[in-house]
Each structure stands twice: as structure tokens, then as C-alpha cells.
Amino acid sequence: MPRHTSRKRLAATTCAATIIGAAALVAGPVSSAQAATGSCNPGDFCLYYFTSRAGGLYEYSGSDSSLANDHFENADTSQVVNNNTDSAWNRGTGTGLIDVLVYDGTGYSSTARCIKQGRVVNNLGSFNNKISSYKWVTRSVCDTYPQA
């Protein structure tokens, strides 16, 4: 292979890698937890800093094994979600994984309570300021746990 053809290929490969790297930097990191919309949308599980769905908001449509790296949106943004929630809203949609188990330990561990689809819990009672993780489950799994 001629030497100048190898240099052209190397230059083209380097240019393509630079463009891909720059696009990744512009896009920024993708959070594994928050959708960052600032509102509790259909399909989300939402936690609030204060009772009656007031104050800061955490919202996400997936499960989260550790709320220790998440902060509230809209208000109370300096507060970590972990062990700082007083109310919740399950806005799950569809069928299948529609209910949410909340845990007082990270990694879906320790004590759990279930919040059924569509349910608003304005005061988490014994779970106030104790939620550390949560995951979406089926209704049959939810029914085996106490309700929040």
C-alpha cells in the first residue's frame, strides 16, 4: 500500500474520532437517575422534600438503587433525595411494572413499603425521611408488602 494512502486513512480516522468525542462532550453526561424535567409526568415516580407534594421534586421513570447521588429539582436543590422525602406520587402508566417498592436501605434493601399506581402519599408516616432506594414492581409483588 502506498505510504500516502495510509496517512490519509490515519487522518480520516483521527478526524472521525475527534468529531465523535466532541459530540459526546456537547451532549454531556447522561444521568442514570433523573430525567430533569422539573415536573411529575405520567410514567414517573416522584418524591418530594415536604409533605403534601411541596418543596423540591425528584422524578424518574426508572428504578433507582441509591438516592444518595440525586438532588431535588425546582426547590431545595442543595438537598440530597436520600433520607429527605416526606411525600410521594406514583404516576406509573400501563400494565406490568406499575407499582413501586420504596426501601429504607440502598440497593433495595432493608424494610420496604409499596406505593400503588396512581397513589399520592402526602405523608409517608414511618417512612418520612427514610427512603434510600426504590424499584418498579408488578401488582402481585406489591400486594405482598405493607402499603406506604
Side-chain angles (χ1 to χ4, degrees):
M1 180 179 301
R3 193 174 198 167
H4 68 282
T5 304
S6 295
R7 284 189 210 151
K8 286 182 182 177
R9 282 191 184 151
L10 177 62
T13 302
T14 302
C15 182
T18 302
I19 291 169
I20 290 169
L25 288 174
V26 170
V30 176
S31 172
S32 63
Q34 291 181 289
T37 63
S39 62
C40 191
N41 297 308
D44 288 343
F45 178 63
C46 303
L47 295 167
Y48 298 87
Y49 187 63
F50 290 117
T51 59
S52 301
R53 295 180 294 152
L57 163 70
Y58 164 90
E59 44 80 25
Y60 184 51
S61 61
S63 297
D64 196 332
S65 64
S66 176
L67 296 169
N69 60 348
D70 299 301
H71 288 81
F72 291 102
E73 301 171 9
N74 300 341
D76 309 301
T77 57
S78 65
Q79 295 297 321
V80 175
V81 178
N82 187 60
N83 294 327
N84 276 316
T85 58
D86 289 340
S87 55
W89 188 7
N90 177 350
R91 296 210 61 201
T93 58
T95 59
L97 302 177
I98 57 171
D99 297 330
V100 175
L101 287 180
V102 294
Y103 296 85
D104 63 2
T106 58
Y108 317 122
S109 65
S110 199
T111 306
R113 298 283 184 271
C114 186
I115 301 175
K116 290 188 175 182
Q117 181 183 36
R119 181 136 191 259
V120 172
V121 183
N122 285 324
N123 183 336
L124 291 164
S126 65
F127 257 62
N128 271 358
N129 299 315
K130 290 187 180 177
I131 297 176
S132 294
S133 60
Y134 73 89
K135 69 179 172 181
W136 292 90
V137 297
T138 61
R139 177 61 47 94
S140 60
V141 170
C142 178
D143 287 340
T144 65
Y145 287 86
Q147 303 300 297

